[in-house]
């Protein structure tokens, strides 16, 4: 398909909410710079200042978008302070965000490249120290979606900030996963993939021991906490029609232990 | 207007909420398959698993869209179980949804045709049993919006599942309507049209007897429950600045009785 | 850039919420009339019937959009009553709204022109007295975005309705500003610009006396009420991670007094 037929896509992920004029301002700035841009809202309801959840959302959604897509992500409690502005390039897509861990999953990819963007030669109106999403990230996203090489906008760096504690820890027959996201139903998504699970396993979370995988949500036992491999391939903990987050009082980065249950041949 | 000037429209109606990456994933899949698609969000805040409300929204909104529009609707408590996937074609528009009653109003139209979609030859990545919206309905919607005939995707069926209890019952001088939707103000929308009302009538709902139609919401009596013919032509029950749903403790499919008040000539 | 490359933009600001089919109906009507229209949601979560907040949002966001943009704004408690329908034209942009104060800031501009739109020759389906957004404002917005001159749709007027009480009052060494918007964090935005502030000042609001401007939100004292010049250039009152609106029990149009603190040379 010709370049003309495929308009440039810019996705937006923020914690700005949908009530105010903040997201609209960003969209206006992008459309001024790049009238053909296709603006796709991913979420503006990332919990306020929750970089861990924002990082998960951006990384999950990007795999469904075509090469060339630019992902603009702003969860930025340190706006106006000295944190850097970065672009990550990975598999033909670009990600624009503050350097505060929001792009941790992308920075961690072996093939990704990270650029620090300095200065702000792109903005055409007076900038404010408190709205980098509008004054910095939006013009950068428009420039990238127009085909500008990130290397032309900044310098490559190797030390982008990453959220710590997201990795799975392995110890003999035990695996220590983490809760990395709660969806709006209160389901708890872990960083444990199906391939991480031994043939027979027990999951221990918040004092509860769970076994067995449901094939779909309708199969879930309403009175119990259930396990499923979710649509992204991760182990997810859920209760039908209830919030498992509230029921077990869970928080992000809580440990989810996977125990390898091997029956001794003499049993 | 030439086909090129009228880009294909796909509307989205779900109960996925706006916080997570689910809707964004669906949009990415559609844009990969059909970069020109115009994606129009109708609602992602259909109450969870509320097929009755979802059905109403899709049916109300479609009449304002041009011929050729594809409506993707996903309220799917049985995702991953054996419920079928269907396409309904009506007046040049196509509707894609699980076969769980979400398209009841469209299936009920005399001129509509229903197709069951089997298999999944459209998807280009590994599917999950728990996200048919992304893995099945999105590619089907993109194919239909590209001009694919639904008959090329599935087989015509006559037995699509329909929500029961939506019809008006008539008994002599009494009409039994139903509440079929609550808007976000808590106004209660019935399935009673103006033409269903006799010249003089009383409405009985939740023990309250109501008479008279307001011409607009500002005319409503703040202390009372009021009646109006709403912007879709349905009888609606409202209180200004209050939720009549909460005030009268109403639920979907509650009966709304219409009594024909004929004064005897001897009175 | 050629006209073809810059598709017409129509922004939408309402209090209709995102749950129902109301916004979707408006979008359908616009796309029927103008298939190329780019629809940009600004907010549909303006508090119900809150014209003051709606007016602020429309005025803040428009400056980031290109010339030619049409802004459709509907916060319309008097829908179906005799209030007029107007178009305001300002710096190459058009604003469509009920004549209830929603466009106060734009009407107030010296260079703006206001047109009353009478009749409804644009609509192609039966209209309802309760949904002017769909039946009047949407077709008007589509016509304007298509290039129709507002003077061809209505007659110029000089007496558009304006919200009163939005102006700053000056009295010797004291300035009386107002709270004109609360964002979704509960931060209170005033109509006081940096240029309105004397070199040394005290702000009095709800019995609290505040001094000093923070440079960014992260600098805010968590235990106190803080001041900042926000990203739109207005004095804003905030608490980090808390709602100052709730904490001080603030309301729209509350007075924010600015005292000029001049040390007498004899002190």
């Amino acid at each position: 398909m010709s370049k003309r037929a495929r308009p440039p896509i810019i996705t937006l992920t923020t914690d700005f909410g949908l009530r105010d004029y903040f997201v609209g301002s960003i969209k206006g700035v992008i459309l001024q710079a790049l009238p053909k841009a296709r603006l796709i809202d991913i979420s503006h309801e990332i919990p306020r200042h929750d970089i861990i959840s924002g990082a998960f959302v951006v990384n999950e959604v990007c795999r469904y978008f075509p090469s060339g897509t630019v992902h603009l992500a702003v969860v930025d409690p340190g706006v106006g302070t000295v944190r850097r502005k970065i672009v990550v390039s990975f598999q033909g897509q670009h990600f624009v965000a503050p350097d505060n861990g929001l792009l941790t999953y992308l920075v961690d990819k072996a093939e990704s490249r990270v650029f620090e963007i300095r200065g702000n030669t792109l903005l055409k109106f007076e900038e404010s120290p408190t709205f980098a999403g509008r004054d910095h990230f939006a013009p950068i996203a428009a420039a990238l979606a127009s085909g500008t090489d990130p290397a032309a906008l900044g310098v490559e760096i190797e030390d982008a900030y990453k959220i710590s504690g997201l990795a799975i820890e392995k110890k003999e027959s035990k695996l220590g996963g983490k809760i990395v996201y709660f969806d709006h139903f209160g389901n708890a998504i872990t960083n444990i993939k199906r391939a991480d699970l031994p043939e027979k396993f027990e999951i221990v979370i918040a004092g509860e021991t769970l076994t067995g995988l449901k094939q779909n949500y309708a199969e879930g036992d309403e009175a119990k906490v259930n396990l499923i491999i979710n649509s992204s391939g991760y182990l997810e903990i859920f209760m039908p029609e209830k919030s498992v987050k509230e029921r077990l009082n869970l928080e992000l980065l809580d440990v989810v232990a996977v125990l390898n249950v091997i029956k001794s041949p003499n049993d």
Side-chain angles (χ1 to χ4, degrees), chain A residues 60-76:
Chain A
E60 284 311 304
V61 90
C62 69
R63 69 185 72 172
Y64 301 104
F65 280 83
S67 177
T69 299
V70 175
H71 303 278
L72 174 58
V74 190
V75 178
D76 195 10

Side-chain angles (χ1 to χ4, degrees), chain A residues 56 178-181 188-192 234-237 256:
Chain A
F56 188 80
K178 299 280 174 66
I179 295 175
V180 290
Y181 191 73
I189 302 178
T190 74
N191 58 356
I192 300 162
Y234 298 109
L235 182 70
E236 180 174 314
I237 304 160
V256 180

Side-chain angles (χ1 to χ4, degrees), chain A residues 3-17:
Chain A
K3 199 171 175 185
R4 186 158 133 272
R6 193 180 272 278
I9 298 171
I10 299 176
T11 80
L12 306 171
T13 304
T14 78
D15 64 347
F16 293 161

Side-chain angles (χ1 to χ4, degrees), chain A residues 51-61 102 105 180-181 189-190 230 232 234:
Chain A
I51 294 165
I52 296 173
S53 295
F56 188 80
V57 165
V58 173
N59 186 49
E60 284 311 304
V61 90
L102 194 53
Y105 294 103
V180 290
Y181 191 73
I189 302 178
T190 74
N230 76 7
S232 303
Y234 298 109

Side-chain angles (χ1 to χ4, degrees), chain A residues 130-144:
Chain A
T130 64
F131 199 174
R134 181 192 68 194
D135 300 347
H136 292 262
F137 299 121
I140 293 167
L144 293 166

Side-chain angles (χ1 to χ4, degrees), chain A residues 227-264:
Chain A
L227 300 174
I228 194 169
I229 300 296
N230 76 7
S231 60
S232 303
Y234 298 109
L235 182 70
E236 180 174 314
I237 304 160
F238 77 101
M239 297 184 76
E241 316 289 336
K242 266 184 212 145
S243 165
V244 77
K245 176 179 193 292
E246 287 178 20
R247 174 71 179 67
L248 296 186
N249 200 22
L250 302 176
E251 294 191 11
L252 285 174
L253 300 190
D254 277 358
V255 171
V256 180
V258 181
L259 307 182
N260 193 344
V261 183
I262 306 165
K263 279 195 182 144
S264 148

